[in-house]
PDB file of all heavy atoms in Angstrom:
ATOM      1  N   ALA B  41      45.950  55.070 118.774  1.00  0.00           N
ATOM      2  CA  ALA B  41      44.822  54.292 118.283  1.00  0.00           C
ATOM      3  C   ALA B  41      44.148  54.952 117.098  1.00  0.00           C
ATOM      4  O   ALA B  41      43.815  54.260 116.120  1.00  0.00           O
ATOM      5  CB  ALA B  41      43.861  54.178 119.521  1.00  0.00           C
ATOM      6  N   LYS B 104      34.251  47.595 100.772  1.00  0.00           N
ATOM      7  CA  LYS B 104      32.989  48.245 101.067  1.00  0.00           C
ATOM      8  C   LYS B 104      32.903  49.649 101.129  1.00  0.00           C
ATOM      9  O   LYS B 104      31.916  50.299 100.985  1.00  0.00           O
ATOM     10  CB  LYS B 104      32.547  47.614 102.454  1.00  0.00           C
ATOM     11  CG  LYS B 104      32.079  46.162 102.297  1.00  0.00           C
ATOM     12  CD  LYS B 104      31.440  45.802 103.621  1.00  0.00           C
ATOM     13  CE  LYS B 104      31.139  44.300 103.657  1.00  0.00           C
ATOM     14  NZ  LYS B 104      30.940  43.846 104.992  1.00  0.00           N
ATOM     15  N   TYR B 223      37.905  65.003 119.749  1.00  0.00           N
ATOM     16  CA  TYR B 223      38.130  64.489 118.457  1.00  0.00           C
ATOM     17  C   TYR B 223      36.885  64.456 117.685  1.00  0.00           C
ATOM     18  O   TYR B 223      36.065  63.574 117.886  1.00  0.00           O
ATOM     19  CB  TYR B 223      38.811  63.123 118.541  1.00  0.00           C
ATOM     20  CG  TYR B 223      39.253  62.599 117.237  1.00  0.00           C
ATOM     21  CD1 TYR B 223      39.854  63.425 116.273  1.00  0.00           C
ATOM     22  CD2 TYR B 223      38.965  61.303 116.886  1.00  0.00           C
ATOM     23  CE1 TYR B 223      40.194  62.889 115.087  1.00  0.00           C
ATOM     24  CE2 TYR B 223      39.302  60.757 115.692  1.00  0.00           C
ATOM     25  CZ  TYR B 223      39.962  61.555 114.797  1.00  0.00           C
ATOM     26  OH  TYR B 223      40.294  61.024 113.615  1.00  0.00           O
ATOM     27  N   LYS B 231      29.182  64.971  99.230  1.00  0.00           N
ATOM     28  CA  LYS B 231      28.173  65.992  99.017  1.00  0.00           C
ATOM     29  C   LYS B 231      28.797  67.301  98.714  1.00  0.00           C
ATOM     30  O   LYS B 231      29.903  67.682  99.364  1.00  0.00           O
ATOM     31  CB  LYS B 231      27.399  66.134 100.358  1.00  0.00           C
ATOM     32  CG  LYS B 231      26.380  67.291 100.441  1.00  0.00           C
ATOM     33  CD  LYS B 231      25.109  66.988  99.712  1.00  0.00           C
ATOM     34  CE  LYS B 231      24.166  68.096  99.743  1.00  0.00           C
ATOM     35  NZ  LYS B 231      23.064  67.880  98.950  1.00  0.00           N
ATOM     36  N   ILE B 252      16.049  74.047 114.308  1.00  0.00           N
ATOM     37  CA  ILE B 252      14.674  74.035 114.752  1.00  0.00           C
ATOM     38  C   ILE B 252      13.886  73.290 113.629  1.00  0.00           C
ATOM     39  O   ILE B 252      14.368  73.113 112.560  1.00  0.00           O
ATOM     40  CB  ILE B 252      14.088  75.441 114.858  1.00  0.00           C
ATOM     41  CG1 ILE B 252      14.166  76.188 113.537  1.00  0.00           C
ATOM     42  CG2 ILE B 252      14.780  76.196 116.057  1.00  0.00           C
ATOM     43  CD1 ILE B 252      13.302  77.399 113.463  1.00  0.00           C
ATOM     44  N   PRO B 379      36.238  72.092 133.889  1.00  0.00           N
ATOM     45  CA  PRO B 379      35.581  73.424 133.923  1.00  0.00           C
ATOM     46  C   PRO B 379      36.478  74.364 134.716  1.00  0.00           C
ATOM     47  O   PRO B 379      37.185  73.990 135.525  1.00  0.00           O
ATOM     48  CB  PRO B 379      34.246  73.179 134.563  1.00  0.00           C
ATOM     49  CG  PRO B 379      34.378  71.867 135.257  1.00  0.00           C
ATOM     50  CD  PRO B 379      35.436  71.070 134.607  1.00  0.00           C
ATOM     51  N   GLN B 454      44.478  91.112 118.300  1.00  0.00           N
ATOM     52  CA  GLN B 454      44.514  89.678 118.061  1.00  0.00           C
ATOM     53  C   GLN B 454      44.139  89.298 116.648  1.00  0.00           C
ATOM     54  O   GLN B 454      44.794  88.498 116.013  1.00  0.00           O
ATOM     55  CB  GLN B 454      43.574  89.012 119.096  1.00  0.00           C
ATOM     56  CG  GLN B 454      43.515  87.545 118.992  1.00  0.00           C
ATOM     57  CD  GLN B 454      44.717  86.930 119.704  1.00  0.00           C
ATOM     58  OE1 GLN B 454      45.435  87.543 120.491  1.00  0.00           O
ATOM     59  NE2 GLN B 454      44.944  85.657 119.495  1.00  0.00           N
ATOM     60  N   ARG B 500      63.209 100.812 129.023  1.00  0.00           N
ATOM     61  CA  ARG B 500      62.433 101.998 129.142  1.00  0.00           C
ATOM     62  C   ARG B 500      61.387 101.911 130.275  1.00  0.00           C
ATOM     63  O   ARG B 500      60.652 102.833 130.544  1.00  0.00           O
ATOM     64  CB  ARG B 500      61.725 102.439 127.832  1.00  0.00           C
ATOM     65  CG  ARG B 500      62.601 103.299 127.005  1.00  0.00           C
ATOM     66  CD  ARG B 500      61.883 103.670 125.741  1.00  0.00           C
ATOM     67  NE  ARG B 500      61.608 102.336 125.085  1.00  0.00           N
ATOM     68  CZ  ARG B 500      60.651 102.352 124.105  1.00  0.00           C
ATOM     69  NH1 ARG B 500      59.927 103.287 123.842  1.00  0.00           N
ATOM     70  NH2 ARG B 500      60.472 101.148 123.444  1.00  0.00           N
ATOM     71  N   PHE B 513      59.131  84.145 110.990  1.00  0.00           N
ATOM     72  CA  PHE B 513      60.011  83.063 110.762  1.00  0.00           C
ATOM     73  C   PHE B 513      59.877  82.589 109.345  1.00  0.00           C
ATOM     74  O   PHE B 513      58.696  82.399 108.868  1.00  0.00           O
ATOM     75  CB  PHE B 513      59.726  81.903 111.684  1.00  0.00           C
ATOM     76  CG  PHE B 513      60.305  82.142 113.039  1.00  0.00           C
ATOM     77  CD1 PHE B 513      59.626  82.900 113.896  1.00  0.00           C
ATOM     78  CD2 PHE B 513      61.504  81.523 113.359  1.00  0.00           C
ATOM     79  CE1 PHE B 513      60.105  83.097 115.192  1.00  0.00           C
ATOM     80  CE2 PHE B 513      61.980  81.764 114.564  1.00  0.00           C
ATOM     81  CZ  PHE B 513      61.340  82.560 115.573  1.00  0.00           C
ATOM     82  N   ASP B 536      65.717  94.004 137.526  1.00  0.00           N
ATOM     83  CA  ASP B 536      65.445  93.794 136.115  1.00  0.00           C
ATOM     84  C   ASP B 536      66.447  94.486 135.246  1.00  0.00           C
ATOM     85  O   ASP B 536      66.931  93.920 134.250  1.00  0.00           O
ATOM     86  CB  ASP B 536      64.034  94.365 135.778  1.00  0.00           C
ATOM     87  CG  ASP B 536      62.959  93.641 136.498  1.00  0.00           C
ATOM     88  OD1 ASP B 536      63.203  92.584 136.935  1.00  0.00           O
ATOM     89  OD2 ASP B 536      61.846  94.248 136.634  1.00  0.00           O
ATOM     90  N   SER B 608      54.306  53.988 100.374  1.00  0.00           N
ATOM     91  CA  SER B 608      53.991  54.270 101.856  1.00  0.00           C
ATOM     92  C   SER B 608      54.473  53.145 102.775  1.00  0.00           C
ATOM     93  O   SER B 608      54.379  53.253 103.977  1.00  0.00           O
ATOM     94  CB  SER B 608      52.395  54.425 101.946  1.00  0.00           C
ATOM     95  OG  SER B 608      51.766  53.440 101.287  1.00  0.00           O
ATOM     96  N   PHE B 630      64.437  69.527 109.303  1.00  0.00           N
ATOM     97  CA  PHE B 630      64.655  69.842 107.895  1.00  0.00           C
ATOM     98  C   PHE B 630      64.636  68.514 107.179  1.00  0.00           C
ATOM     99  O   PHE B 630      65.606  67.696 107.341  1.00  0.00           O
ATOM    100  CB  PHE B 630      65.959  70.604 107.756  1.00  0.00           C
ATOM    101  CG  PHE B 630      66.389  70.734 106.308  1.00  0.00           C
ATOM    102  CD1 PHE B 630      65.426  71.059 105.358  1.00  0.00           C
ATOM    103  CD2 PHE B 630      67.750  70.613 105.954  1.00  0.00           C
ATOM    104  CE1 PHE B 630      65.879  71.202 104.076  1.00  0.00           C
ATOM    105  CE2 PHE B 630      68.173  70.843 104.651  1.00  0.00           C
ATOM    106  CZ  PHE B 630      67.162  71.049 103.702  1.00  0.00           C
ATOM    107  N   GLU B 635      58.792  65.437  97.399  1.00  0.00           N
ATOM    108  CA  GLU B 635      57.351  65.125  97.191  1.00  0.00           C
ATOM    109  C   GLU B 635      57.160  63.713  96.555  1.00  0.00           C
ATOM    110  O   GLU B 635      56.203  63.025  96.726  1.00  0.00           O
ATOM    111  CB  GLU B 635      56.719  66.080  96.253  1.00  0.00           C
ATOM    112  CG  GLU B 635      56.641  67.417  96.883  1.00  0.00           C
ATOM    113  CD  GLU B 635      57.204  68.522  95.942  1.00  0.00           C
ATOM    114  OE1 GLU B 635      56.907  68.363  94.769  1.00  0.00           O
ATOM    115  OE2 GLU B 635      57.890  69.362  96.403  1.00  0.00           O
ATOM    116  N   ALA B 716      87.096  78.633 114.233  1.00  0.00           N
ATOM    117  CA  ALA B 716      86.776  78.263 115.645  1.00  0.00           C
ATOM    118  C   ALA B 716      85.403  77.489 115.702  1.00  0.00           C
ATOM    119  O   ALA B 716      85.190  76.894 116.704  1.00  0.00           O
ATOM    120  CB  ALA B 716      86.694  79.514 116.523  1.00  0.00           C
ATOM    121  N   LEU B 781      75.854  81.460 134.250  1.00  0.00           N
ATOM    122  CA  LEU B 781      76.306  81.216 135.635  1.00  0.00           C
ATOM    123  C   LEU B 781      76.994  79.899 135.706  1.00  0.00           C
ATOM    124  O   LEU B 781      78.010  79.673 136.426  1.00  0.00           O
ATOM    125  CB  LEU B 781      75.079  81.279 136.493  1.00  0.00           C
ATOM    126  CG  LEU B 781      75.241  81.269 138.028  1.00  0.00           C
ATOM    127  CD1 LEU B 781      75.930  82.511 138.466  1.00  0.00           C
ATOM    128  CD2 LEU B 781      73.929  81.025 138.781  1.00  0.00           C
ATOM    129  N   LEU B 799      64.496  72.925 135.416  1.00  0.00           N
ATOM    130  CA  LEU B 799      64.349  73.613 136.652  1.00  0.00           C
ATOM    131  C   LEU B 799      63.780  74.998 136.555  1.00  0.00           C
ATOM    132  O   LEU B 799      62.821  75.355 137.064  1.00  0.00           O
ATOM    133  CB  LEU B 799      65.698  73.735 137.403  1.00  0.00           C
ATOM    134  CG  LEU B 799      65.741  74.557 138.673  1.00  0.00           C
ATOM    135  CD1 LEU B 799      65.172  73.839 139.859  1.00  0.00           C
ATOM    136  CD2 LEU B 799      67.174  74.995 138.979  1.00  0.00           C
ATOM    137  N   GLU B 914      42.741  94.774 137.356  1.00  0.00           N
ATOM    138  CA  GLU B 914      42.307  94.189 136.025  1.00  0.00           C
ATOM    139  C   GLU B 914      41.440  95.154 135.236  1.00  0.00           C
ATOM    140  O   GLU B 914      41.443  95.047 134.052  1.00  0.00           O
ATOM    141  CB  GLU B 914      41.489  92.900 136.343  1.00  0.00           C
ATOM    142  CG  GLU B 914      42.335  91.901 137.049  1.00  0.00           C
ATOM    143  CD  GLU B 914      42.427  91.983 138.496  1.00  0.00           C
ATOM    144  OE1 GLU B 914      42.165  93.154 139.002  1.00  0.00           O
ATOM    145  OE2 GLU B 914      42.703  91.082 139.219  1.00  0.00           O
ATOM    146  N   ALA B 930      55.046 101.064 115.939  1.00  0.00           N
ATOM    147  CA  ALA B 930      53.989 100.392 115.236  1.00  0.00           C
ATOM    148  C   ALA B 930      54.484  99.038 114.699  1.00  0.00           C
ATOM    149  O   ALA B 930      55.607  98.926 114.304  1.00  0.00           O
ATOM    150  CB  ALA B 930      53.486 101.203 114.089  1.00  0.00           C
TER     151      ALA B 930
END
Side-chain angles (χ1 to χ4, degrees):
Chain B
K104 283 188 188 165
Y223 184 43
K231 172 81 183 173
I252 57 159
Q454 178 82 11
R500 269 178 302 158
F513 279 81
D536 296 339
S608 43
F630 171 40
E635 293 128 40
L781 187 70
L799 172 77
E914 293 86 339

